[in-house]
Amino acid sequence: METITNSSLHELDKANYLPTFNRYPITLARGRGSKVWDVEGKEYIDTVGGIAVNSIGHCHPRHVEAIQRQAGELMHICNAYLSEPQALLSKKLKDISGLDRVFFANSGAEAVEGAIKIARKYAHSIGRGGDILSFEKSFHGRTMATIAAGREKYQKGFDPIPKGFLRLPFNDIEAVKQAITRQSGGILVEAIQGEGGVRPTSMEFLQELREICNQENIVLILDEVQTGFGRTGRMFAKDLYGIQPDVMSIAKGMGGGFPIGAVLSSEKVSSAIEKGDHGTTFGGNPLACAASLAVIEVIEEEGLVEKAAEMESWFRAQIAEMDEPKIKEVRGHGLMLGLQFDFPTRPLAEMMAHKGILANACAGDVIRFVPALNITKKEFSKVLDCLRDCLQEF
């Protein structure tokens, strides 16, 4: 039997999979906490976390147990029927978000699509148009509507792009005021632009967006797909800014690695939705909901929201002590952190991977760290030691 190696599996991948990913030459086989191992047995510290997905680390015992138990009882049913995990998760999400209604999806892109539909249905119900205002360098998914709202580079080759979307300069409140018309139905914004290079929305900008939406009766949609579930040192990033959106899309850390997303909405905008206006086959299935309930329990009981906030302070102190001139800026909140450099960062991420550290290069010149919320300082210190060594070699 042929020996399985990183390279042999990558050759198999190249022969069969649609070539959409610029993969690293690693094939991961197992994980535990903040560590993963490839098929050849090499160990890595993982600060990518499936891009902010593995919120409680790989294979947390309580997560695994919840999935195994539910898989042995009931995995999937039609949404014409209710399951206990779905009912319990709906209530939990309502309690921790302060919003009123929940709709389950399978991913962040689906959650954003659902948010857009709710916003447009409400806008039409009060005589407004359905145009969605979004922002430059934003990222909301890879479906047709979400690329229409996102960065232009993801639209190339996919014409015709859906109409009714207008991108505006990020953190520019005057541009928003000038763009609003009676055709404007919603404003879609990330609290922190993840793919855009870990660029936080300014406090003033997001709070003014909330005020404008109140004044104009426009739906404020907050994309918390990457920032939710303790990632920013608060359960949701909206709490950092002291605002409540009308609609919020969530996913990623919600399932800790199991696919699930949701749209949360206020009673005001939800009232426009009627039976049959939206639907899903797999969204909210018992298995996904049981997995998500376990994740939220671990986050709450292990104090991971508070830990993320503490780790940000520690991280910033470590970077300041490093005094590295190649680092132009430290950005982000909690354990959604970015280092901007004065050079393209993909080669740096590749060098770190070779040395046993998985980090994410994004936006051209940024290294993004979105590890498990329970990563230890000892583990993160090894990450920063590796970064320091690589920069010296660079």
Side-chain angles (χ1 to χ4, degrees), residues 182 185 359:
R182 285 294 298 173

Side-chain angles (χ1 to χ4, degrees), residues 31 77 92 111 114 128-129 146 163 184 194 250 264 356-357 362 367:
I77 55 174
K92 186 64 178 178
R128 297 195 70 96
T146 54
K163 296 180 180 180
S184 305
I250 54 176
L264 310 182
I357 302 297
C362 70
I367 291 288

Side-chain angles (χ1 to χ4, degrees), residues 143-392:
T143 61
M144 291 303 294
T146 54
I147 64 171
R151 299 173 70 178
E152 190 172 350
K153 78 172 192 174
Y154 294 121
Q155 300 175 10
K156 292 180 180 178
F158 297 110
D159 292 331
I161 300 299
K163 296 180 180 180
F165 295 89
L166 176 64
R167 289 187 311 281
L168 303 171
F170 184 55
N171 275 333
D172 186 341
I173 201 67
E174 291 304 317
V176 175
K177 291 176 180 178
Q178 292 173 19
I180 289 175
T181 69
R182 285 294 298 173
Q183 290 303 308
S184 305
I187 297 178
L188 173 61
V189 62
E190 298 164 275
I192 302 175
Q193 290 189 337
E195 293 297 317
V198 193
R199 301 167 70 225
T201 304
S202 74
M203 184 73 70
E204 299 76 16
F205 180 71
L206 195 49
Q207 290 179 348
E208 286 197 59
L209 277 186
R210 177 66 277 176
E211 287 301 313
I212 289 171
C213 288
N214 289 343
Q215 293 164 10
E216 300 286 343
N217 205 3
I218 292 173
V219 177
L220 179 61
I221 308 168
L222 191 61
D223 182 341
E224 290 238 28
V225 168
Q226 194 164 151
T227 54
F229 298 93
R231 176 59 53 191
T232 64
R234 297 290 183 92
M235 184 58 79
F236 297 104
K238 69 182 180 66
D239 302 322
L240 283 170
Y241 292 86
I243 63 109
Q244 185 73 313
D246 300 300
V247 184
M248 186 164 75
S249 52
I250 54 176
K252 287 191 179 284
M254 176 180 178
F258 202 97
I260 186 170
V263 190
L264 310 182
S265 51
S266 69
E267 191 66 45
K268 175 183 172 182
V269 300
S270 301
S271 64
I273 296 295
E274 301 173 357
K275 286 182 174 60
D277 277 347
H278 198 39
T280 176
T281 297
F282 295 106
N285 67 74
L287 188 54
C289 290
S292 183
L293 281 166
V295 169
I296 297 170
E297 287 173 6
V298 170
I299 289 172
E300 291 184 329
E301 293 176 19
E302 295 186 7
L304 299 187
V305 176
E306 296 78 12
K307 183 174 180 182
E310 293 168 7
M311 288 294 281
E312 178 195 345
S313 298
W314 175 86
F315 177 87
R316 288 180 178 276
Q318 297 299 305
I319 295 300
E321 187 177 312
M322 192 183 295
D323 193 26
E324 172 54 61
K326 295 185 181 71
I327 298 176
K328 295 172 63 178
E329 189 177 7
V330 184
R331 298 198 288 250
H333 295 290
L335 280 171
M336 184 175 177
L337 297 163
L339 297 179
Q340 184 182 27
F341 292 86
D342 58 4
F343 56 83
T345 49
R346 173 73 185 209
L348 177 58
E350 291 173 347
M351 185 182 293
M352 292 177 72
H354 183 71
K355 294 177 180 291
I357 302 297
L358 302 185
N360 175 237
C362 70
D365 59 358
V366 173
I367 291 288
R368 172 173 45 177
F369 298 109
V370 280
L373 303 180
N374 50 13
I375 191 172
T376 66
K377 288 181 180 177
K378 182 178 180 180
E379 289 167 331
F380 220 150
S381 292
K382 291 181 179 178
V383 172
L384 296 182
D385 287 344
C386 177
L387 175 64
R388 185 183 296 107
D389 293 344
C390 289
L391 289 173
Q392 288 177 356

